[in-house]
Amino acid sequence: FTGSEKGNNRELLAVNLSGRVRRILDLPAGMTLEDVAPDGRVLVSLDNERLAMATAAREGKPEDLSWHDWSVAKDISRDGQSVLFEDSSEAAGARYSLALRRIDGTLPVQLSEGSAGGLSPDGKWAISILPGSPGQVKLVPLGAGQAHTIALPGLEQIHNGSAHFLADGKHITINASEHGHGVRCYVVDLDGGKPIPVTPEGIAGGLVSPDGQYIVRSDDAGIVAVYPVGAGTPHPIPNLDPGFTPVQWAEGNSAVYGYRPGQVPTKVYKVNIVTGAQTLIQELQPQTTTGVVSIAPVVVTRDGSRFAYSYYQVFSVLYLISGLR
């Protein structure tokens, strides 16, 4: 099999029935095992892969923001001038790192280790997540200051994924689980106190509305619904194809922005949460589409004026290798 301990350069490995793993071949490229012949020859593809990142203004030309080879767009500042992203390349290490890049072409600023959550409404903080048991959630300053760890009493495991500030800047949402229970979304008061569950068990969190009353997310079947925070019946957004991905609430509480993964170019829509009416607001496409397989994730400002997105690009060469032991 092929796999990697960190980054994306997969090695060719073997494991015996006792579970002992040994390295067979290590190359400076992403390797994918395609087949093994009875005589021991191995068919592999060497994949030059990267997750690049770009930004674009409304109906504007894309601008490249890539750094290293695996940049995951996570949030964009309210003024559209800075993009928070997660560096998942080998250079970032096994625990990844979060970084901030301005769209003016200046070099990124590495903020902290961990997976990136969202930016605070005042643009001064970012959420860093170190998943695990129990895991850790930190607020990391974008400028001067010290990071500080958020107390999460009662939570046994922190899960990676969606984490956002509420509009008041005093609360955040995280995905976590208590002892003996499945994952769900919690609201955490940054001033302290026990995290409050806001979705049913088994339902991880998504995007919090500007008034803090609703969460919109897609379930495992790809159906997008609006969940009241705390208690209440979720309401599916009508007329959306399964797989539609919401990425941001529009100003007010009546609409969300979202897209359908797997399309190049990728169309971003503004969707009314009551009627499901869709308005196309942007088509996203990098400067070159050669080798571009998909565009995701996508982030957008609340006023829909600026977008940032990652896109997966791969070039593959097929090899037949003999003589391996």
Side-chain angles (χ1 to χ4, degrees):
F1 67 98
T2 48
S4 63
E5 292 182 340
K6 64 177 183 177
N8 303 292
N9 286 349
R10 296 178 298 278
E11 305 168 323
L12 183 61
L13 306 165
V15 60
N16 63 16
L17 296 181
S18 299
R20 185 177 69 86
V21 177
R22 65 184 178 91
R23 181 180 290 106
I24 297 176
L25 183 63
D26 183 10
L27 297 174
M31 192 175 353
T32 302
L33 178 63
E34 306 290 352
D35 204 357
V36 179
D39 61 7
R41 290 178 299 162
V42 174
L43 187 67
V44 302
S45 62
L46 296 188
D47 307 317
N48 184 1
E49 301 171 274
R50 71 174 190 144
L51 194 67
M53 189 170 65
T55 183
R58 186 80 175 263
E59 299 178 356
K61 294 182 179 180
E63 303 171 47
D64 186 71
L65 295 179
S66 304
W67 193 43
H68 296 147
D69 59 7
W70 213 263
S71 301
V72 187
K74 285 299 188 79
D75 203 356
I76 188 168
S77 61
R78 290 198 168 191
D79 62 6
Q81 298 304 299
S82 300
V83 177
L84 179 71
F85 69 97
E86 179 180 310
D87 180 14
S88 303
S89 67
E90 287 199 62
R95 303 182 80 174
Y96 307 144
S97 67
L98 59 153
L100 190 78
R101 182 157 203 177
R102 293 188 59 80
I103 67 170
D104 60 8
T106 54
L107 291 175
V109 177
Q110 187 170 342
L111 302 174
S112 170
E113 66 177 0
S115 293
L119 292 167
S120 61
D122 62 7
K124 295 181 178 180
W125 301 92
I127 302 171
S128 170
I129 304 169
L130 293 172
S133 299
Q136 194 175 74
V137 177
K138 290 184 177 182
L139 294 187
V140 180
L142 303 190
Q146 296 292 322
H148 56 91
T149 302
I150 305 302
L152 301 169
L155 298 185
E156 183 178 71
Q157 184 169 22
I158 307 302
H159 295 252
N160 204 348
S162 178
H164 302 277
F165 277 89
L166 272 65
D168 62 7
K170 299 178 181 180
H171 299 79
I172 64 172
T173 59
I174 62 169
N175 295 324
S177 54
E178 300 174 73
H179 179 71
H181 293 275
V183 63
R184 63 199 306 185
C185 180
Y186 292 81
V187 168
V188 178
D189 188 332
L190 298 181
D191 291 329
K194 186 178 174 65
I196 300 172
V198 293
T199 61
E201 187 173 339
I203 301 296
L207 303 168
V208 184
S209 62
D211 63 3
Q213 298 301 305
Y214 301 96
I215 290 177
V216 62
R217 70 176 301 278
S218 54
D219 62 18
D220 293 339
I223 304 301
V224 181
V226 178
Y227 291 76
V229 170
T233 303
H235 300 282
I237 300 177
N239 305 318
L240 289 183
D241 294 333
F244 185 87
T245 302
V247 297
Q248 177 65 282
W249 283 85
E251 293 176 330
N253 295 307
S254 62
V256 295
Y257 301 111
Y259 69 105
R260 297 180 184 87
Q263 299 178 341
V264 180
T266 291
K267 297 179 179 180
V268 181
Y269 296 88
K270 185 176 182 179
V271 179
N272 185 288
I273 63 172
V274 176
T275 66
Q278 303 175 38
T279 303
L280 177 65
I281 63 168
Q282 182 80 347
E283 288 194 9
L284 302 176
Q285 182 170 295
Q287 293 177 340
T288 175
T289 58
T290 304
V292 175
V293 177
S294 61
I295 296 176
V298 174
V299 294
V300 57
T301 55
R302 189 155 280 172
D303 63 2
S305 65
R306 170 70 66 169
F307 307 80
Y309 55 95
S310 299
Y311 59 95
Y312 175 58
Q313 190 174 33
V314 57
F315 303 93
S316 298
V317 180
L318 197 62
Y319 288 89
L320 184 63
I321 304 175
S322 58
L324 297 176
R325 293 290 184 271

